[in-house]
Amino acid sequence: QGCTQKYIVKNYFYYYLFKFSAALGEEIFYITFLPFTYWNIDHSVSRRMIIVWSIVMYIGQVSKDILKWPRPLSPPVVKLEMRTNAEYGMPSTHAMAATAISFSFFIATMNQYKYPFELGLAAAFVFSTLVCLSRLYTGMHTVLDVIGGALISAVLLVLLYPAWDTIDHLLLTSPFCPLFSIVVPLVLCYNYPKLDYYSPTRGDTTTILGAAAGATVGFWLNNQYSASAPTGTSVQPGLPLTSSTMVFVLARFFTGILVVLLTRWLTKSVVLGVLGYRYQFPMGDLQARRRLEVEVPYKFVTYSCVGLTATVLVPLLHQLLGLM
């Protein structure tokens, strides 16, 4: 059910702060920050973040639909979001994603770039804390949901960290990487836990695994053809940003995002058109798009193309335009 409660905002600072913080755990953040890291900071950092993010999010999404813990009752809480209200609560995947992304970025960069350790740790802590608090403010999670999500993510980070280099090496060099990167996520999506009613968790999980699959294949292709890493005009934590560096960074970012969004729109239209013809439904039929045989292929293909475009086509375009 949608949110029908009326509310009065008494403190606009907290309202906009936590609405913005909540967006840091959603697609708009993933589709901008993760590619930004790849285009402008460091390929190896981006690879590790995407690997950790996809594993953590899959475990979090599946855990929700296995545990089936309800979200906070409304009333007494006021829910400021509608879409995710159909999902279960424990664990908070916003908290999991924020913890995984912020601390994996910190861990991956602390030995590569010159910046104060305390500053990096504080930034990761503040980022994850703001996202966690936003889930309480918006009424979407209990304190236990948020703490559970952050702790699960932290444990997974500890377990994955020793295998980072090994996983990264295999994904870059193994001849089976493209097949593995596509088949395993697809099997997981088609065998997602079934619920008695529709929930967006399966679709969101397919989106995440699809994007990670496309990006992983892109990493492998780049390694096979020795695609160049970002040059000296990249953003490096701890170094001052010059005006020329900022011009290159912004140009790469906006050019890349435009291509990524265009790819998403075009691929989604084509795939939905093909599936609509195959299963005889109009593209605007929301119920048909929620069916397993439609939702999984359309979202997986769409976002795997997005991941592949962000890691292969966009860097090639950057080189062509002289932005590297």
Side-chain angles (χ1 to χ4, degrees):
Q1 296 178 351
C3 300
T4 58
Q5 291 175 294
K6 294 182 179 180
Y7 58 88
I8 298 174
V9 179
K10 295 183 178 180
N11 190 314
Y12 281 96
F13 174 77
Y14 288 134
Y15 178 77
Y16 287 114
L17 172 65
F18 290 124
K19 289 285 283 185
F20 173 77
S21 300
L24 297 178
E26 297 173 358
E27 181 184 354
I28 188 173
F29 175 73
Y30 304 144
I31 209 170
T32 53
F33 179 72
L34 294 177
F36 177 89
T37 305
Y38 189 77
W39 300 330
N40 290 302
I41 298 181
D42 192 292
H43 285 188
S44 64
V45 171
S46 180
R47 291 196 304 267
R48 284 160 173 75
M49 288 174 61
I50 290 174
I51 291 170
V52 170
W53 168 68
S54 59
I55 293 174
V56 165
M57 288 299 289
Y58 175 76
I59 291 174
Q61 295 284 79
V62 169
S63 298
K64 280 186 178 184
D65 290 339
I66 292 177
L67 294 175
K68 298 182 179 181
W69 286 21
R71 289 186 181 270
L73 293 177
S74 177
V77 304
V78 176
K79 294 186 177 180
L80 305 185
E81 296 179 10
M82 295 178 64
R83 179 181 178 275
T84 56
N85 196 37
E87 300 178 6
Y88 289 108
M90 169 62 97
S92 167
T93 46
H94 272 71
M96 292 184 71
T99 303
I101 289 177
S102 59
F103 281 94
S104 62
F105 181 82
F106 167 61
I107 294 169
T109 58
M110 66 180 182
N111 293 324
Q112 295 190 42
Y113 300 105
K114 296 180 180 179
Y115 62 85
F117 175 86
E118 296 78 7
L119 179 62
L121 182 62
F125 179 79
V126 169
F127 179 92
S128 55
T129 300
L130 280 175
V131 176
C132 289
L133 291 177
S134 74
R135 309 316 290 158
L136 303 178
Y137 183 88
T138 55
M140 302 311 297
H141 285 286
T142 65
V143 174
L144 186 58
D145 294 342
V146 170
I147 294 176
L151 287 178
I152 292 172
S153 189
V155 170
L156 289 173
L157 266 174
V158 171
L159 294 176
L160 288 170
Y161 177 69
W164 267 15
D165 292 338
T166 302
I167 295 173
D168 188 51
H169 177 73
L170 288 174
L171 292 180
L172 289 178
T173 60
S174 173
F176 301 105
C177 172
L179 181 64
F180 178 85
S181 300
I182 297 297
V183 171
V184 172
L186 267 178
V187 170
L188 293 176
C189 292
Y190 274 108
N191 290 277
Y192 193 83
K194 293 179 174 60
L195 297 176
D196 296 331
Y197 64 93
Y198 178 78
S199 167
T201 49
R202 184 183 66 203
D204 291 345
T205 304
T206 305
T207 294
I208 293 165
L209 294 185
T216 303
V217 173
F219 299 151
W220 183 85
L221 288 172
N222 287 337
N223 186 67
Q224 301 306 306
Y225 294 97
S226 301
S228 60
T231 61
T233 55
S234 303
V235 176
Q236 295 191 10
L239 295 180
L241 296 178
T242 63
S243 57
S244 60
T245 300
M246 285 302 301
V247 168
F248 276 95
V249 167
L250 292 176
R252 281 197 294 262
F253 175 71
F254 285 112
T255 301
I257 287 299
L258 180 62
V259 174
V260 164
L261 293 178
L262 181 62
T263 299
R264 184 179 66 167
W265 171 78
L266 183 61
T267 309
K268 179 179 178 181
S269 301
V270 172
V271 174
L272 274 179
V274 172
L275 291 171
Y277 177 79
R278 168 65 177 82
Y279 294 106
Q280 299 298 305
F281 68 87
M283 288 183 63
D285 188 341
L286 183 60
Q287 291 302 118
R289 287 163 57 175
R290 290 175 171 178
R291 287 155 46 186
L292 174 67
E293 64 271 23
V294 175
E295 183 177 59
V296 170
Y298 115 69
K299 290 202 169 185
F300 190 87
V301 172
T302 297
Y303 284 91
S304 61
C305 287
V306 166
L308 189 63
T309 297
T311 54
V312 177
L313 295 184
V314 170
L316 289 175
L317 179 61
H318 287 163
Q319 288 185 344
L320 183 64
L321 296 176
L323 296 176
M324 297 299 290

